[in-house]
Amino acid sequence: GENVEQHPSTLSVQEGDSAVIKCTYSDSASNYFPWYKQELGKGPQLIIDIRSNVGEKKDQRIAVTLNKTAKHFSLHITETQPEDSAVYFCAASYPGDQFYFGTGTSLTVIP
Amino acid sequence: EAQVTQNPRYLITVTGKKLTVTCSQNMNHEYMSWYRQDPGLGLRQIYYSMNVEVTDKGDVPEGYKVSRKEKRNFPLILESPSPNQTSLYFCASRPSGGLSGELFFGEGSRLTVL
């Protein structure tokens, strides 16, 4: 099956700085890469996703990049705010609807 | 309001006492799945279902059962819980097909097995 590795496991940034979280995957058949944000006591929520036919996608302060050759994808958050503090999960999915999640990154934005 | 509802949210039980965690979605989604979340291990898939009466094992199915008799419900059954099943459980759903792969998660069920 697929193996998704996520780094770093914890990340602290000053408010206004950028945050980058990186993931690698092993199965070249994976074609869908979502990022989820989990706030304390809640279920994960999708914040952005990218498909394998696209190299980059942006939504306001959040962007995701995908390098299919190297099998890695990254989440970029610019101008971080305290409300960005949460646990972030990357995932990889391939046909058959199996989702494989990374181990999570706990992001703390220091005011 | 579109949502995935899990019950109970919190449960403390003892080894060997059968329990069921219910999951219901009101979005008419074909696909439903169960995950467990453990520190340092992320979200691991237990079972998933592509549609009514169709279920498949995920990565960590041992000790769990599921059923999908109706489209909206996907209960998780622990026939004989053990302490290593102490975890935070999430149910999720999504429509099959189409371009959107978004999984909609419930709020989670924290289970402690003594």
Side-chain angles (χ1 to χ4, degrees), chain B residues 37 44 107:
Chain B
Q37 183 177 6
R44 293 180 293 167
E107 297 270 88

Side-chain angles (χ1 to χ4, degrees), chain B residues 57-86:
Chain B
K57 294 178 181 179
D59 290 327
V60 288
E62 296 78 20
Y64 304 95
K65 282 176 57 177
V66 292
S67 68
R68 187 90 182 275
K69 292 182 170 48
E70 305 164 283
K71 198 173 189 179
R72 64 182 293 130
N73 296 324
F74 190 44
L76 179 70
I77 303 156
L78 286 73
E79 293 270 4
S80 183
S82 62
N84 64 12
Q85 292 178 298
T86 292

Side-chain angles (χ1 to χ4, degrees), chain A residues 3 46 60 90:
Chain A
N3 181 43
L46 180 74
Q60 299 183 334
C90 63

